Amino acid sequence: MELIETFECVKRASKTLAFLTDEQRNNILQAVADTIIAHQQDILTANAMDLAKMDQRNPLYDRLQLTEKRLQDIAADMRNVAKLPSPLGHVTKEKTLPNGLRLHRVSVPFGVIGMIYEARPNVTFDVFSLCFKSGNACVLKGGSDADFSNRAAVKLIHEVLEQKGVNPDVVTLLPATHEATGEMLNAVGYIDLCIPRGGRRLIDFVRDTARIPVIETGAGVVNTYFDVEGDLEMGKAIVNNAKTRRPSVCNALDCLIIHEQRLGDLYELVKPLVDHKVLLYADAPAYQLLEGVYPDILLRPAIGESYGTEFMDYKMAIRTVSSVEGALAHIDQFGSGHSECIITQNEATARLFQQHVDAACVYWNAPTSFTDGAQFGLGAEIGISTQKLGPRGPMALEEICTYKWIIEGEGQTRP
């Protein structure tokens, strides 16, 4: 393994983080946030080099792009993380056994967290802030699309760490190559947990290849069901926000499910999407209602591949059902366990939907665009877990900690 020495350095550096106080960690995070703003032009210049390599029509272009506003938001999120309580040292369970042994279950860092992600340079800062705050070192494997941006970000972080007397190896960026990914996934004994953040192909590859523990995140095939008792004005706002706010992110809407008795409201429901030139793939009943009113150039008949697709673009499928049970069946077949939504004024129907939908986040009368660690008040996120073993939903400080048992005795022996 060509990177074995790199992994060894990160592992050694991770041990030094235990000697930092929470106050020291917070001060360093605040310093990095300040440096992001002070050196934002350096980051934007590097980002422009990445953007120049990508077609602006590529759905990933928006994910890749950094702006002054986005850098300000990144710095604000980092400051928020610094203000959060430390996730370390919490006693989550304690008891005294009949023999007098005292047991405490205490939260501790994983150690070294590996992160694989695509054209999302903001993830570099988010992962650093959460890992550093929680006492974890991190190994970053970004995509080649964002390599200039990622290297500028890590260079800035390293400069602050060195100024504060912290080993910069606690944040290590690997080469943006497929070979580096393979070595990372086989770094047994060096990387304690790997988190892939990207599309389905990336996540499937990591899960099928890794010899180290993996938490699946990111891939979001997101549905919203407009019920027979849904409020039209509310529905218009929710669908528009979920689809068009940032279509390239994992919480963006991919399929609108509509009750057949509300097809007469379908055009009004999707009318705001016209301004964003959203291409619709409609099933037969929906197509018949939209034909001649929704722009022809933006309307297509749905095919099998229209459902279960994470578009990451200004595209959306439409599916007609005859009941909430039909909506549940569609989600069960095509959803990815990320985020799902129901729009209805009937509380019993909403509770039924929330109870039966198998997803990390289930919304009632609110857009799935809120599935985000910062929006949930977690400071930032390292990813959205779509699995059931371990953390689920937005992963922040608590979710990247594990625990150990502390046992205290007075010379007891086991018979």
Side-chain angles (χ1 to χ4, degrees), residues 239-279:
V239 170
N240 185 46
N241 186 257
K243 178 67 259 181
T244 67
R245 178 188 167 270
R246 287 193 69 185
S248 65
V249 296
C250 60
N251 58 29
L253 178 59
D254 295 299
C255 180
L256 172 64
I257 308 169
I258 185 167
H259 195 286
E260 61 184 10
Q261 294 183 30
R262 298 302 300 272
L263 279 172
D265 294 313
L266 178 58
Y267 175 64
E268 283 298 317
L269 194 61
V270 299
K271 187 177 179 181
L273 304 183
V274 175
D275 292 338
H276 299 274
K277 297 181 172 57
V278 176
L279 179 61

mmCIF file of all heavy atoms in Angstrom, residues 239-279:
data_model
loop_
_atom_site.group_PDB
_atom_site.id
_atom_site.type_symbol
_atom_site.label_atom_id
_atom_site.label_comp_id
_atom_site.label_asym_id
_atom_site.label_seq_id
_atom_site.Cartn_x
_atom_site.Cartn_y
_atom_site.Cartn_z
ATOM 1 N N VAL A 239 -43.754 21.803 -2.738
ATOM 2 C CA VAL A 239 -43.214 21.120 -3.914
ATOM 3 C C VAL A 239 -42.168 21.989 -4.602
ATOM 4 O O VAL A 239 -41.085 21.517 -4.989
ATOM 5 C CB VAL A 239 -44.348 20.744 -4.891
ATOM 6 C CG1 VAL A 239 -43.783 20.251 -6.216
ATOM 7 C CG2 VAL A 239 -45.245 19.676 -4.264
ATOM 8 N N ASN A 240 -42.459 23.269 -4.740
ATOM 9 C CA ASN A 240 -41.521 24.168 -5.402
ATOM 10 C C ASN A 240 -40.209 24.275 -4.625
ATOM 11 O O ASN A 240 -39.114 24.207 -5.199
ATOM 12 C CB ASN A 240 -42.160 25.547 -5.563
ATOM 13 C CG ASN A 240 -41.282 26.507 -6.354
ATOM 14 O OD1 ASN A 240 -40.740 26.164 -7.397
ATOM 15 N ND2 ASN A 240 -41.144 27.724 -5.851
ATOM 16 N N ASN A 241 -40.314 24.419 -3.310
ATOM 17 C CA ASN A 241 -39.111 24.545 -2.491
ATOM 18 C C ASN A 241 -38.293 23.259 -2.492
ATOM 19 O O ASN A 241 -37.063 23.282 -2.632
ATOM 20 C CB ASN A 241 -39.489 24.922 -1.056
ATOM 21 C CG ASN A 241 -38.289 25.210 -0.175
ATOM 22 O OD1 ASN A 241 -37.897 24.389 0.651
ATOM 23 N ND2 ASN A 241 -37.687 26.378 -0.354
ATOM 24 N N ALA A 242 -38.976 22.126 -2.367
ATOM 25 C CA ALA A 242 -38.271 20.841 -2.311
ATOM 26 C C ALA A 242 -37.585 20.504 -3.629
ATOM 27 O O ALA A 242 -36.533 19.866 -3.639
ATOM 28 C CB ALA A 242 -39.245 19.729 -1.922
ATOM 29 N N LYS A 243 -38.174 20.955 -4.740
ATOM 30 C CA LYS A 243 -37.609 20.619 -6.047
ATOM 31 C C LYS A 243 -36.576 21.634 -6.520
ATOM 32 O O LYS A 243 -35.536 21.244 -7.068
ATOM 33 C CB LYS A 243 -38.732 20.528 -7.097
ATOM 34 C CG LYS A 243 -38.261 20.220 -8.528
ATOM 35 C CD LYS A 243 -37.685 18.822 -8.689
ATOM 36 C CE LYS A 243 -36.203 18.736 -8.703
ATOM 37 N NZ LYS A 243 -35.675 17.371 -8.877
ATOM 38 N N THR A 244 -36.833 22.918 -6.326
ATOM 39 C CA THR A 244 -36.023 23.928 -7.017
ATOM 40 C C THR A 244 -35.031 24.676 -6.128
ATOM 41 O O THR A 244 -34.183 25.398 -6.654
ATOM 42 C CB THR A 244 -36.922 24.965 -7.715
ATOM 43 O OG1 THR A 244 -37.623 25.744 -6.720
ATOM 44 C CG2 THR A 244 -37.930 24.288 -8.621
ATOM 45 N N ARG A 245 -35.110 24.520 -4.808
ATOM 46 C CA ARG A 245 -34.195 25.292 -3.958
ATOM 47 C C ARG A 245 -32.749 24.985 -4.327
ATOM 48 O O ARG A 245 -31.968 25.874 -4.626
ATOM 49 C CB ARG A 245 -34.444 24.976 -2.482
ATOM 50 C CG ARG A 245 -33.486 25.713 -1.568
ATOM 51 C CD ARG A 245 -33.580 25.258 -0.116
ATOM 52 N NE ARG A 245 -32.426 25.778 0.617
ATOM 53 C CZ ARG A 245 -31.271 25.142 0.743
ATOM 54 N NH1 ARG A 245 -31.126 23.942 0.175
ATOM 55 N NH2 ARG A 245 -30.262 25.680 1.400
ATOM 56 N N ARG A 246 -32.380 23.720 -4.300
ATOM 57 C CA ARG A 246 -31.063 23.274 -4.773
ATOM 58 C C ARG A 246 -31.260 21.865 -5.327
ATOM 59 O O ARG A 246 -31.187 20.876 -4.582
ATOM 60 C CB ARG A 246 -30.019 23.269 -3.658
ATOM 61 C CG ARG A 246 -29.562 24.645 -3.228
ATOM 62 C CD ARG A 246 -28.313 24.582 -2.354
ATOM 63 N NE ARG A 246 -27.141 24.163 -3.120
ATOM 64 C CZ ARG A 246 -25.949 23.935 -2.561
ATOM 65 N NH1 ARG A 246 -25.788 24.061 -1.261
ATOM 66 N NH2 ARG A 246 -24.925 23.575 -3.306
ATOM 67 N N PRO A 247 -31.542 21.741 -6.612
ATOM 68 C CA PRO A 247 -31.914 20.439 -7.177
ATOM 69 C C PRO A 247 -30.811 19.395 -7.148
ATOM 70 O O PRO A 247 -31.100 18.203 -7.300
ATOM 71 C CB PRO A 247 -32.303 20.777 -8.619
ATOM 72 C CG PRO A 247 -31.606 22.059 -8.916
ATOM 73 C CD PRO A 247 -31.582 22.814 -7.623
ATOM 74 N N SER A 248 -29.561 19.799 -6.940
ATOM 75 C CA SER A 248 -28.463 18.836 -7.001
ATOM 76 C C SER A 248 -28.164 18.166 -5.669
ATOM 77 O O SER A 248 -27.313 17.284 -5.606
ATOM 78 C CB SER A 248 -27.192 19.532 -7.505
ATOM 79 O OG SER A 248 -26.761 20.513 -6.582
ATOM 80 N N VAL A 249 -28.863 18.552 -4.595
ATOM 81 C CA VAL A 249 -28.556 17.985 -3.284
ATOM 82 C C VAL A 249 -29.440 16.777 -2.998
ATOM 83 O O VAL A 249 -30.475 16.563 -3.638
ATOM 84 C CB VAL A 249 -28.709 19.040 -2.168
ATOM 85 C CG1 VAL A 249 -27.685 20.153 -2.360
ATOM 86 C CG2 VAL A 249 -30.116 19.629 -2.158
ATOM 87 N N CYS A 250 -29.044 15.985 -1.992
ATOM 88 C CA CYS A 250 -29.692 14.684 -1.776
ATOM 89 C C CYS A 250 -31.090 14.795 -1.198
ATOM 90 O O CYS A 250 -31.855 13.828 -1.240
ATOM 91 C CB CYS A 250 -28.822 13.804 -0.890
ATOM 92 S SG CYS A 250 -28.498 14.501 0.756
ATOM 93 N N ASN A 251 -31.473 15.960 -0.639
ATOM 94 C CA ASN A 251 -32.827 16.079 -0.085
ATOM 95 C C ASN A 251 -33.813 16.698 -1.082
ATOM 96 O O ASN A 251 -34.954 16.987 -0.730
ATOM 97 C CB ASN A 251 -32.807 16.890 1.216
ATOM 98 C CG ASN A 251 -32.229 18.286 1.047
ATOM 99 O OD1 ASN A 251 -32.314 18.891 -0.022
ATOM 100 N ND2 ASN A 251 -31.638 18.811 2.115
ATOM 101 N N ALA A 252 -33.377 16.887 -2.340
ATOM 102 C CA ALA A 252 -34.259 17.483 -3.349
ATOM 103 C C ALA A 252 -35.320 16.483 -3.794
ATOM 104 O O ALA A 252 -35.081 15.277 -3.867
ATOM 105 C CB ALA A 252 -33.446 17.954 -4.551
ATOM 106 N N LEU A 253 -36.496 16.997 -4.143
ATOM 107 C CA LEU A 253 -37.630 16.170 -4.536
ATOM 108 C C LEU A 253 -37.410 15.524 -5.908
ATOM 109 O O LEU A 253 -37.013 16.190 -6.862
ATOM 110 C CB LEU A 253 -38.897 17.031 -4.562
ATOM 111 C CG LEU A 253 -40.207 16.362 -4.995
ATOM 112 C CD1 LEU A 253 -40.550 15.203 -4.084
ATOM 113 C CD2 LEU A 253 -41.333 17.393 -5.005
ATOM 114 N N ASP A 254 -37.692 14.227 -5.983
ATOM 115 C CA ASP A 254 -37.556 13.497 -7.248
ATOM 116 C C ASP A 254 -38.889 13.050 -7.822
ATOM 117 O O ASP A 254 -39.030 12.932 -9.038
ATOM 118 C CB ASP A 254 -36.663 12.260 -7.053
ATOM 119 C CG ASP A 254 -35.244 12.634 -6.692
ATOM 120 O OD1 ASP A 254 -34.592 13.312 -7.506
ATOM 121 O OD2 ASP A 254 -34.786 12.269 -5.593
ATOM 122 N N CYS A 255 -39.869 12.776 -6.970
ATOM 123 C CA CYS A 255 -41.161 12.293 -7.473
ATOM 124 C C CYS A 255 -42.308 12.864 -6.653
ATOM 125 O O CYS A 255 -42.315 12.771 -5.425
ATOM 126 C CB CYS A 255 -41.208 10.763 -7.429
ATOM 127 S SG CYS A 255 -42.762 10.060 -8.023
ATOM 128 N N LEU A 256 -43.263 13.457 -7.350
ATOM 129 C CA LEU A 256 -44.505 13.918 -6.743
ATOM 130 C C LEU A 256 -45.554 12.838 -6.923
ATOM 131 O O LEU A 256 -45.863 12.441 -8.051
ATOM 132 C CB LEU A 256 -44.973 15.222 -7.393
ATOM 133 C CG LEU A 256 -46.366 15.714 -6.985
ATOM 134 C CD1 LEU A 256 -46.412 16.057 -5.505
ATOM 135 C CD2 LEU A 256 -46.780 16.920 -7.834
ATOM 136 N N ILE A 257 -46.094 12.347 -5.819
ATOM 137 C CA ILE A 257 -47.185 11.368 -5.842
ATOM 138 C C ILE A 257 -48.471 12.128 -5.543
ATOM 139 O O ILE A 257 -48.539 12.883 -4.573
ATOM 140 C CB ILE A 257 -46.952 10.272 -4.786
ATOM 141 C CG1 ILE A 257 -45.556 9.670 -4.926
ATOM 142 C CG2 ILE A 257 -48.018 9.182 -4.898
ATOM 143 C CD1 ILE A 257 -45.156 8.773 -3.758
ATOM 144 N N ILE A 258 -49.483 11.940 -6.358
ATOM 145 C CA ILE A 258 -50.714 12.712 -6.178
ATOM 146 C C ILE A 258 -51.930 11.789 -6.152
ATOM 147 O O ILE A 258 -52.012 10.811 -6.913
ATOM 148 C CB ILE A 258 -50.869 13.780 -7.291
ATOM 149 C CG1 ILE A 258 -52.101 14.669 -7.036
ATOM 150 C CG2 ILE A 258 -50.917 13.147 -8.671
ATOM 151 C CD1 ILE A 258 -52.141 15.918 -7.900
ATOM 152 N N HIS A 259 -52.852 12.090 -5.261
ATOM 153 C CA HIS A 259 -54.099 11.327 -5.189
ATOM 154 C C HIS A 259 -54.933 11.621 -6.426
ATOM 155 O O HIS A 259 -55.038 12.771 -6.870
ATOM 156 C CB HIS A 259 -54.874 11.713 -3.926
ATOM 157 C CG HIS A 259 -55.976 10.762 -3.578
ATOM 158 N ND1 HIS A 259 -57.160 10.710 -4.281
ATOM 159 C CD2 HIS A 259 -56.058 9.815 -2.612
ATOM 160 C CE1 HIS A 259 -57.943 9.793 -3.746
ATOM 161 N NE2 HIS A 259 -57.299 9.222 -2.730
ATOM 162 N N GLU A 260 -55.543 10.587 -6.991
ATOM 163 C CA GLU A 260 -56.271 10.736 -8.252
ATOM 164 C C GLU A 260 -57.417 11.740 -8.164
ATOM 165 O O GLU A 260 -57.761 12.385 -9.161
ATOM 166 C CB GLU A 260 -56.809 9.379 -8.705
ATOM 167 C CG GLU A 260 -57.778 8.715 -7.744
ATOM 168 C CD GLU A 260 -58.218 7.326 -8.201
ATOM 169 O OE1 GLU A 260 -57.628 6.816 -9.160
ATOM 170 O OE2 GLU A 260 -59.136 6.760 -7.571
ATOM 171 N N GLN A 261 -57.994 11.905 -6.967
ATOM 172 C CA GLN A 261 -59.082 12.866 -6.822
ATOM 173 C C GLN A 261 -58.593 14.314 -6.809
ATOM 174 O O GLN A 261 -59.413 15.232 -6.834
ATOM 175 C CB GLN A 261 -59.870 12.569 -5.535
ATOM 176 C CG GLN A 261 -60.611 11.243 -5.569
ATOM 177 C CD GLN A 261 -61.437 11.010 -4.306
ATOM 178 O OE1 GLN A 261 -61.914 11.957 -3.673
ATOM 179 N NE2 GLN A 261 -61.605 9.750 -3.940
ATOM 180 N N ARG A 262 -57.272 14.522 -6.798
ATOM 181 C CA ARG A 262 -56.728 15.877 -6.819
ATOM 182 C C ARG A 262 -56.008 16.189 -8.137
ATOM 183 O O ARG A 262 -55.310 17.195 -8.248
ATOM 184 C CB ARG A 262 -55.751 16.080 -5.652
ATOM 185 C CG ARG A 262 -56.379 15.923 -4.279
ATOM 186 C CD ARG A 262 -57.545 16.895 -4.043
ATOM 187 N NE ARG A 262 -57.150 18.288 -4.138
ATOM 188 C CZ ARG A 262 -56.677 18.999 -3.109
ATOM 189 N NH1 ARG A 262 -56.555 18.441 -1.918
ATOM 190 N NH2 ARG A 262 -56.346 20.266 -3.276
ATOM 191 N N LEU A 263 -56.200 15.339 -9.143
ATOM 192 C CA LEU A 263 -55.558 15.590 -10.431
ATOM 193 C C LEU A 263 -55.994 16.916 -11.044
ATOM 194 O O LEU A 263 -55.244 17.553 -11.782
ATOM 195 C CB LEU A 263 -55.857 14.444 -11.400
ATOM 196 C CG LEU A 263 -54.998 13.184 -11.240
ATOM 197 C CD1 LEU A 263 -55.529 12.060 -12.124
ATOM 198 C CD2 LEU A 263 -53.530 13.476 -11.561
ATOM 199 N N GLY A 264 -57.210 17.350 -10.725
ATOM 200 C CA GLY A 264 -57.690 18.626 -11.238
ATOM 201 C C GLY A 264 -56.871 19.806 -10.746
ATOM 202 O O GLY A 264 -56.878 20.879 -11.366
ATOM 203 N N ASP A 265 -56.128 19.606 -9.636
ATOM 204 C CA ASP A 265 -55.280 20.666 -9.084
ATOM 205 C C ASP A 265 -53.819 20.491 -9.488
ATOM 206 O O ASP A 265 -52.971 21.283 -9.059
ATOM 207 C CB ASP A 265 -55.356 20.673 -7.552
ATOM 208 C CG ASP A 265 -56.742 21.065 -7.047
ATOM 209 O OD1 ASP A 265 -57.281 22.068 -7.551
ATOM 210 O OD2 ASP A 265 -57.263 20.364 -6.165
ATOM 211 N N LEU A 266 -53.534 19.472 -10.293
ATOM 212 C CA LEU A 266 -52.137 19.157 -10.580
ATOM 213 C C LEU A 266 -51.407 20.306 -11.257
ATOM 214 O O LEU A 266 -50.276 20.637 -10.872
ATOM 215 C CB LEU A 266 -52.043 17.885 -11.436
ATOM 216 C CG LEU A 266 -50.628 17.470 -11.849
ATOM 217 C CD1 LEU A 266 -49.751 17.248 -10.629
ATOM 218 C CD2 LEU A 266 -50.678 16.203 -12.708
ATOM 219 N N TYR A 267 -52.028 20.919 -12.261
ATOM 220 C CA TYR A 267 -51.318 21.993 -12.962
ATOM 221 C C TYR A 267 -50.979 23.133 -12.018
ATOM 222 O O TYR A 267 -49.864 23.655 -12.036
ATOM 223 C CB TYR A 267 -52.130 22.519 -14.148
ATOM 224 C CG TYR A 267 -51.462 23.716 -14.794
ATOM 225 C CD1 TYR A 267 -50.223 23.586 -15.409
ATOM 226 C CD2 TYR A 267 -52.050 24.985 -14.727
ATOM 227 C CE1 TYR A 267 -49.587 24.691 -15.962
ATOM 228 C CE2 TYR A 267 -51.418 26.092 -15.284
ATOM 229 C CZ TYR A 267 -50.188 25.940 -15.896
ATOM 230 O OH TYR A 267 -49.552 27.027 -16.442
ATOM 231 N N GLU A 268 -51.937 23.528 -11.176
ATOM 232 C CA GLU A 268 -51.663 24.601 -10.221
ATOM 233 C C GLU A 268 -50.555 24.196 -9.253
ATOM 234 O O GLU A 268 -49.724 25.009 -8.854
ATOM 235 C CB GLU A 268 -52.931 24.953 -9.436
ATOM 236 C CG GLU A 268 -53.926 25.786 -10.216
ATOM 237 C CD GLU A 268 -53.343 27.145 -10.621
ATOM 238 O OE1 GLU A 268 -52.678 27.786 -9.775
ATOM 239 O OE2 GLU A 268 -53.533 27.548 -11.782
ATOM 240 N N LEU A 269 -50.528 22.913 -8.911
ATOM 241 C CA LEU A 269 -49.535 22.410 -7.963
ATOM 242 C C LEU A 269 -48.116 22.523 -8.518
ATOM 243 O O LEU A 269 -47.176 22.836 -7.787
ATOM 244 C CB LEU A 269 -49.864 20.952 -7.619
ATOM 245 C CG LEU A 269 -49.180 20.314 -6.410
ATOM 246 C CD1 LEU A 269 -49.525 21.061 -5.133
ATOM 247 C CD2 LEU A 269 -49.601 18.847 -6.295
ATOM 248 N N VAL A 270 -47.976 22.272 -9.832
ATOM 249 C CA VAL A 270 -46.630 22.274 -10.434
ATOM 250 C C VAL A 270 -46.344 23.552 -11.230
ATOM 251 O O VAL A 270 -45.240 23.710 -11.753
ATOM 252 C CB VAL A 270 -46.437 21.044 -11.348
ATOM 253 C CG1 VAL A 270 -46.583 19.757 -10.544
ATOM 254 C CG2 VAL A 270 -47.407 21.058 -12.531
ATOM 255 N N LYS A 271 -47.316 24.459 -11.308
ATOM 256 C CA LYS A 271 -47.141 25.678 -12.103
ATOM 257 C C LYS A 271 -45.892 26.473 -11.716
ATOM 258 O O LYS A 271 -45.189 26.987 -12.601
ATOM 259 C CB LYS A 271 -48.388 26.549 -11.976
ATOM 260 C CG LYS A 271 -48.397 27.765 -12.896
ATOM 261 C CD LYS A 271 -49.720 28.523 -12.753
ATOM 262 C CE LYS A 271 -49.735 29.761 -13.639
ATOM 263 N NZ LYS A 271 -51.018 30.513 -13.483
ATOM 264 N N PRO A 272 -45.550 26.592 -10.409
ATOM 265 C CA PRO A 272 -44.325 27.346 -10.067
ATOM 266 C C PRO A 272 -43.055 26.730 -10.647
ATOM 267 O O PRO A 272 -42.037 27.432 -10.769
ATOM 268 C CB PRO A 272 -44.306 27.293 -8.528
ATOM 269 C CG PRO A 272 -45.735 27.106 -8.132
ATOM 270 C CD PRO A 272 -46.308 26.216 -9.193
ATOM 271 N N LEU A 273 -43.099 25.461 -11.018
ATOM 272 C CA LEU A 273 -41.908 24.799 -11.550
ATOM 273 C C LEU A 273 -41.572 25.268 -12.965
ATOM 274 O O LEU A 273 -40.438 25.107 -13.420
ATOM 275 C CB LEU A 273 -42.100 23.280 -11.552
ATOM 276 C CG LEU A 273 -42.459 22.619 -10.214
ATOM 277 C CD1 LEU A 273 -42.528 21.107 -10.389
ATOM 278 C CD2 LEU A 273 -41.462 22.992 -9.136
ATOM 279 N N VAL A 274 -42.553 25.852 -13.648
ATOM 280 C CA VAL A 274 -42.332 26.323 -15.020
ATOM 281 C C VAL A 274 -41.224 27.369 -15.056
ATOM 282 O O VAL A 274 -40.373 27.368 -15.954
ATOM 283 C CB VAL A 274 -43.634 26.883 -15.625
ATOM 284 C CG1 VAL A 274 -43.364 27.478 -17.005
ATOM 285 C CG2 VAL A 274 -44.696 25.798 -15.710
ATOM 286 N N ASP A 275 -41.221 28.263 -14.055
ATOM 287 C CA ASP A 275 -40.217 29.328 -14.027
ATOM 288 C C ASP A 275 -38.792 28.776 -13.940
ATOM 289 O O ASP A 275 -37.837 29.435 -14.353
ATOM 290 C CB ASP A 275 -40.471 30.266 -12.843
ATOM 291 C CG ASP A 275 -41.749 31.067 -13.007
ATOM 292 O OD1 ASP A 275 -42.201 31.220 -14.165
ATOM 293 O OD2 ASP A 275 -42.298 31.529 -11.989
ATOM 294 N N HIS A 276 -38.656 27.562 -13.398
ATOM 295 C CA HIS A 276 -37.339 26.942 -13.265
ATOM 296 C C HIS A 276 -37.072 25.919 -14.371
ATOM 297 O O HIS A 276 -36.068 25.217 -14.333
ATOM 298 C CB HIS A 276 -37.227 26.260 -11.896
ATOM 299 C CG HIS A 276 -37.373 27.200 -10.736
ATOM 300 N ND1 HIS A 276 -36.319 27.912 -10.217
ATOM 301 C CD2 HIS A 276 -38.481 27.561 -10.017
ATOM 302 C CE1 HIS A 276 -36.752 28.662 -9.204
ATOM 303 N NE2 HIS A 276 -38.050 28.466 -9.074
ATOM 304 N N LYS A 277 -38.013 25.849 -15.320
ATOM 305 C CA LYS A 277 -37.881 24.924 -16.456
ATOM 306 C C LYS A 277 -37.681 23.484 -15.991
ATOM 307 O O LYS A 277 -36.820 22.750 -16.491
ATOM 308 C CB LYS A 277 -36.740 25.357 -17.381
ATOM 309 C CG LYS A 277 -36.960 26.718 -18.040
ATOM 310 C CD LYS A 277 -35.813 27.073 -18.971
ATOM 311 C CE LYS A 277 -36.114 28.341 -19.772
ATOM 312 N NZ LYS A 277 -36.412 29.506 -18.933
ATOM 313 N N VAL A 278 -38.514 23.069 -15.042
ATOM 314 C CA VAL A 278 -38.440 21.698 -14.532
ATOM 315 C C VAL A 278 -39.101 20.748 -15.522
ATOM 316 O O VAL A 278 -40.263 20.923 -15.896
ATOM 317 C CB VAL A 278 -39.115 21.576 -13.149
ATOM 318 C CG1 VAL A 278 -39.122 20.119 -12.688
ATOM 319 C CG2 VAL A 278 -38.389 22.456 -12.136
ATOM 320 N N LEU A 279 -38.360 19.742 -15.940
ATOM 321 C CA LEU A 279 -38.866 18.727 -16.869
ATOM 322 C C LEU A 279 -39.624 17.674 -16.077
ATOM 323 O O LEU A 279 -39.098 17.100 -15.123
ATOM 324 C CB LEU A 279 -37.695 18.081 -17.615
ATOM 325 C CG LEU A 279 -38.024 16.970 -18.620
ATOM 326 C CD1 LEU A 279 -38.920 17.497 -19.739
ATOM 327 C CD2 LEU A 279 -36.732 16.393 -19.185
#
